[in-house]
């Protein structure tokens, strides 16, 4: 006793399926051949001509060689022009960046100058106030000229 059941194929049905597949493939191939026949290009009808003009074969080859050499030079020239244009674009980009950096530096310089002027003004104001404060303190600390005479007036001015 096996764990599965084996069903044997039906030979007649298998044979019919194979025949139908073969007939279908044959029909497809016939259709392809028929389509190729229907779409085959027709014969080419050209009037016979003498090709090459009035030049000899050697002249034609020499002309071809000259054109090849010229095309090489033209390609080289084209490459050089491309490199020049690329360098010019890069140079323009560099100059543009330099101009931007120059403007930034100028703005920074102006800002530094303004800060320096502000610092100097603040310093001078502070110095002026400190000087006035010192002078005022010195004026208060010294006796006035009138009080000097009274203090040093002699023995008659003392209470003793």
């Amino acid at each position: 006793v096996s764990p599965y059941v084996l069903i044997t194929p039906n030979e007649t049905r298998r044979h019919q399926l194979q025949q139908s597949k073969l007939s279908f493939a044959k029909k497809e191939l016939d259709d392809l051949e028929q389509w190729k026949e229907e779409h085959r290009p027709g014969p080419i009808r050209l009037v016979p001509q003498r090709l090459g003009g009035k030049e000899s074969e050697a002249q034609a080859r020499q002309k071809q060689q000259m054109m090849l050499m010229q095309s090489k030079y033209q390609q080289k020239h084209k490459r050089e022009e491309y490199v020049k244009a690329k360098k010019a674009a890069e140079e323009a980009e560099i100059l543009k960046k330099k101009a931007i950096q120059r403007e930034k530096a100028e703005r920074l310089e102006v800002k530094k100058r303004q800060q320096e002027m502000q610092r100097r003004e603040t310093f001078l104001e502070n110095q002026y106030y400190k000087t006035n404060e010192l002078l005022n303190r010195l004026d208060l600390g010294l006796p006035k000229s009138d009080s000097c005479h009274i203090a040093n007036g002699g023995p008659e001015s003392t209470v003793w």
Side-chain angles (χ1 to χ4, degrees):
V1 178
S2 62
Y4 59 91
V5 177
L6 178 65
I7 300 173
T8 57
N10 187 347
E11 285 296 321
T12 56
R13 183 145 185 212
R14 183 170 182 252
H15 185 67
Q16 285 175 351
L17 282 174
Q18 283 181 344
Q19 289 299 323
S20 67
K21 285 182 184 178
L22 286 174
S23 67
F24 187 73
K26 203 173 226 182
K27 183 180 176 240
E28 288 288 322
L29 285 173
D30 291 341
D31 289 346
L32 179 64
E33 289 297 323
Q34 183 183 356
W35 185 87
K36 283 183 180 178
E37 280 295 322
E38 288 174 359
H39 292 88
R40 176 175 284 161
I44 298 174
R45 295 184 185 98
L46 289 177
V47 178
Q49 298 176 358
R50 180 181 172 105
L51 299 176
K54 299 176 183 176
E55 295 178 338
S56 68
E57 185 180 350
Q59 288 174 334
R61 289 190 186 275
Q62 186 178 11
K63 186 176 177 183
Q64 222 176 16
Q65 186 70 23
M66 288 296 292
M67 288 179 69
L68 179 66
M69 289 172 59
Q70 287 176 353
S71 71
K72 285 181 184 178
Y73 286 123
Q74 287 174 351
Q75 287 175 351
K76 186 177 179 182
H77 182 68
K78 201 175 192 181
R79 273 190 300 253
E80 288 173 354
E81 289 295 321
Y82 173 75
V83 169
K84 283 181 185 178
K86 190 174 179 182
K87 281 185 181 180
E90 288 175 356
E91 189 67 31
E93 187 70 25
I94 290 170
L95 290 175
K96 186 177 176 183
K97 288 179 181 179
K98 282 183 180 180
I100 290 170
Q101 291 299 325
R102 192 176 303 116
E103 287 176 12
K104 285 181 182 178
E106 288 173 357
R107 277 185 268 153
L108 183 63
E109 187 65 33
V110 168
K111 187 176 177 183
K112 282 183 180 180
R113 272 191 252 128
Q114 288 175 349
Q115 288 176 347
E116 181 66 23
M117 290 297 290
Q118 183 71 27
R119 189 185 64 78
R120 282 185 185 178
E121 287 175 9
T122 306
F123 175 74
L124 289 175
E125 283 182 23
N126 194 15
Q127 184 181 17
Y128 175 75
Y129 288 127
K130 292 288 182 179
T131 306
N132 280 341
E133 186 181 319
L134 178 66
L135 290 176
N136 287 339
R137 269 192 280 147
L138 289 176
D139 283 345
L140 292 175
L142 288 177
K144 301 225 182 224
S145 58
D146 297 339
S147 63
C148 285
H149 292 293
I150 297 171
N152 295 333
E156 67 269 7
S157 65
T158 60
V159 178
W160 299 53

